[in-house]
Amino acid sequence: ELDTRWGDGALERLRDPEREHELEVVHRGSDGSSRAAILSSSKLRDHLGEWVGTVFIIHDITERWRSEERFRSLVQNASDLITVISPDTTVLYQSPAVRRVLGYDPEHLVGAKLVDFVHPDDRAQFVATLGGLMMKPAGTITGEGRVHDSDGTWRHLEFTGSDQCAN
């Protein structure tokens, strides 16, 4: 008999693959340990094409999950600003440190153009530096420039950037 409680009911939700066929779950063992897994299901059919059962595949992703948790903790608690941008400088992610350094809520910056926060006299150099980075994948750049904070004051910041498109 299928223990449908496993993975907070994930197996029950996957029982009919027409409704849902893949879930990522974290299972807490009776000893307090946690395991992460991707659960997949597909219909098992007989020679007439009738659905006779469901096949479940459980892929253990615990190590990847723990690595992601450690990385997330580092980024969320870093004192430096960590910003992920698209090639047109749209902010895709902004670390919480921006609140302390520039006075913005991270959510306020997501979707905004980073270049719009750079001082007009520094924009051309900023864009050229980013363009140079995009020409050498896996490279690293450093620079400095003025960025306005939430009060409109220009702050001098140093930055280091690396192209992570391949990651």
Side-chain angles (χ1 to χ4, degrees):
E1 179 66 23
L2 178 65
D3 182 357
T4 58
R5 295 168 300 162
W6 193 88
D8 294 326
L11 291 180
E12 180 61 35
R13 292 196 311 272
L14 293 171
R15 188 182 291 222
D16 181 358
E18 301 261 328
R19 289 186 303 148
E20 201 161 10
H21 69 280
E22 187 172 282
L23 291 171
E24 188 171 315
V25 299
V26 176
H27 179 71
R28 309 237 184 271
S30 58
D31 64 352
S33 65
S34 297
R35 305 289 301 181
I38 294 178
L39 306 176
S40 304
S41 66
S42 60
K43 286 187 174 185
L44 180 64
R45 298 183 183 277
D46 67 12
H47 66 286
L48 299 173
E50 295 295 318
W51 181 20
V52 295
T54 304
V55 176
F56 293 99
I57 299 171
I58 301 174
H59 180 74
D60 187 344
I61 59 165
T62 303
E63 290 308 312
R64 183 185 86 192
W65 175 73
R66 287 182 180 145
S67 177
E68 289 172 356
E69 286 293 309
R70 281 190 296 272
F71 177 76
R72 189 175 299 111
S73 177
L74 285 170
V75 168
Q76 293 294 319
N77 298 306
S79 58
D80 290 338
L81 300 180
I82 298 172
T83 308
V84 178
I85 61 171
S86 65
D88 70 351
T89 79
T90 298
V91 177
L92 304 174
Y93 170 81
Q94 181 59 65
S95 67
V98 75
R99 194 175 283 115
R100 181 183 51 77
V101 176
L102 297 174
Y104 291 110
D105 285 329
E107 300 80 27
H108 171 81
L109 296 180
V110 173
K113 301 269 193 230
L114 184 60
V115 72
D116 292 342
F117 293 85
V118 176
H119 191 282
D121 294 343
D122 299 340
R123 283 185 190 151
Q125 181 61 42
F126 178 77
V127 170
T129 302
L130 286 178
L133 177 62
M134 288 183 237
M135 300 305 282
K136 54 178 185 177
T140 301
I141 51 125
T142 58
E144 57 184 58
R146 291 167 286 179
V147 176
H148 69 77
D149 66 14
S150 63
D151 295 331
T153 303
W154 294 106
R155 302 286 183 107
H156 289 267
L157 299 179
E158 294 178 348
F159 61 87
T160 301
S162 62
D163 185 347
Q164 297 294 311
C165 288
N167 295 331

